[in-house]
Amino acid sequence: MMDWLTGNKIPVGDAAAAVFLWLQINGAWFFDNLEAFMRTLVDAILWLLEQPHPLVIVAVFVALTWVLQRSWKTALLILLGFAFILNQGYWEETIESVTLVMSACLVCMGVGVPIGIAAAHRPRLYAAIRPVLDLMQTLPPFVYLIPAIVFFGIGMVPGLIATVIFVVPAPIRLTHLGISSTPTPLLEAARAFGATRRQTLWKVELPFALPQIMAGLNQTIMLALSMVVIAALVGASGLGVPVVRALNTVNTALGFESGFIIVVVAIMLDRMLRVEKR
C-alpha cells in the first residue's frame, strides 16, 4: 500500500512549473508592463525621499505624526527614532526600506480596499476568494520569491511583488469586516431617506468602516516591513541587505545593529498610523 502511494506521486510541483512556464511565454507583455509600472512607482517614491535633506524628511514625518495623532509625545518619539537612525548611519537603507513599504501600501490598499468592499456586498464572492486569501497568507513568503524571480528578475520589483502577494489579504479581510459590520439600522435609515447605493457606501459604510480600514493599513505596513529581509534575498535594497550580509558572515554586531533599526522603523510607523478609540 505504501509503495503504491509513494510511487504514484501527484505532480503538484511539475504542474506549477508548467503553469509558470506558460505564463512566462504567453504573458510576457503583461509582466513587462507590470514591471515598468512598479519600477516607476518605486523610483518616484525613492526620488521624493532622497532628494530633500534628511532633516527636511524628518520634519515632514514629525509634522505628519502631529497632524494624525495630535500628541507631542508621539511626535517626539518619531523625532528620536529618526535621530537614532541618523546616528547609526542607516539613513539611506531606511529610506529604501520605507520606499518598499510605501509602494507596497499603495498597491495593496488600492487593490485590497475595492476587493474588500465588493466582497462585503457579495457574500458568494467572499466565499470564493477566502481559500485564495488563506493560501496567500499560509504559504511561506520565501515561496513567492521563486515566481517573482522568474517573471521579474532580480531587484526591487520582485521584492515588491512578493511583498504585495503576501500582504494584500490583510486589507481585503479588514475592509470586508468593516463594511459588513455596518449596523443594519444605519443602512435602513440611509435607504429610508432616499440614499443611493453609492451614497450609502460613501456616507455610511466607509465612515463606519474607517477604523477597520486604517487597521488594515497598519497591518499592511507591518507585514510589508517584515518582508524587508526576505526581499533582500532577491536583490531589493534597504535594511534587509545588512541583515543578510551579517547572516552570511556571522557578524553579530552588524546583525543586531541593522535588526534593531528595523524594529525602530516598525515602532515609528505603528505609532504614526495607530487608530485608537477615543
Side-chain angles (χ1 to χ4, degrees):
M1 180 65 180
M2 286 297 297
D3 292 339
W4 178 88
L5 186 62
T6 57
N8 293 273
K9 181 179 179 180
I10 299 174
V12 176
D14 293 338
V19 170
F20 288 143
L21 180 61
W22 184 89
L23 289 174
Q24 189 178 13
I25 296 174
N26 297 279
W29 61 273
F30 171 77
F31 294 113
D32 290 342
N33 290 327
L34 180 60
E35 181 182 10
F37 170 76
M38 292 293 191
R39 191 175 302 280
T40 301
L41 177 64
V42 169
D43 291 343
I45 295 176
L46 188 60
W47 183 85
L48 288 174
L49 294 177
E50 283 186 338
Q51 288 303 308
H53 192 276
L55 294 181
V56 175
I57 299 298
V58 172
V60 169
F61 272 86
V62 171
L64 181 61
T65 302
W66 171 257
V67 171
L68 293 175
Q69 301 296 334
R70 295 295 179 179
S71 169
W72 66 268
K73 294 181 180 179
T74 306
L76 179 61
L77 175 66
I78 302 303
L79 178 61
L80 293 176
F82 275 118
F84 178 75
I85 292 171
L86 287 168
N87 172 262
Q88 295 297 303
Y90 282 89
W91 177 258
E92 183 177 351
E93 292 84 354
T94 299
I95 291 301
E96 290 168 345
S97 292
V98 170
T99 297
L100 178 64
V101 171
M102 291 178 65
S103 302
C105 286
L106 288 175
V107 176
C108 290
M109 298 303 290
V111 172
V113 172
I115 293 178
I117 293 172
H121 290 158
R122 298 169 180 82
R124 290 184 179 179
L125 174 61
Y126 186 66
I129 66 174
R130 184 187 298 173
V132 179
L133 300 179
D134 293 339
L135 179 66
M136 293 168 67
Q137 289 187 308
T138 305
L139 277 178
F142 289 95
V143 175
Y144 300 131
L145 299 182
I146 302 172
I149 294 174
V150 171
F151 296 135
F152 304 103
I154 301 296
M156 200 75 158
V157 173
L160 175 58
I161 295 295
T163 301
V164 168
I165 296 174
F166 178 68
V167 173
V168 74
I172 293 177
R173 289 184 185 276
L174 287 169
T175 301
H176 169 268
L177 177 63
I179 296 295
S180 60
S181 299
T182 305
T184 302
L186 283 180
L187 299 175
E188 292 177 347
R191 298 190 188 102
F193 281 98
T196 63
R197 293 183 63 180
R198 179 175 297 181
Q199 290 173 330
T200 302
L201 172 64
W202 285 98
K203 297 184 179 296
V204 179
E205 292 178 325
L206 284 178
F208 183 84
L210 185 60
Q212 291 291 344
I213 295 174
M214 290 301 296
L217 175 61
N218 186 278
Q219 286 297 306
T220 298
I221 292 173
M222 294 299 105
L223 290 172
L225 197 55
S226 71
M227 287 288 291
V228 164
V229 177
I230 297 176
L233 297 176
V234 293
S237 53
L239 291 169
V241 174
V243 174
V244 174
R245 189 184 305 123
L247 179 62
N248 292 333
T249 59
V250 197
N251 190 330
T252 306
L254 178 62
F256 183 83
E257 188 178 80
S258 53
F260 193 73
I261 294 295
I262 295 176
V263 173
V264 170
V265 174
I267 293 174
M268 291 166 57
L269 294 177
D270 177 69
R271 296 299 186 272
M272 280 183 62
L273 298 171
R274 175 174 292 184
V275 178
E276 298 180 354
K277 293 182 180 181
R278 297 180 179 179

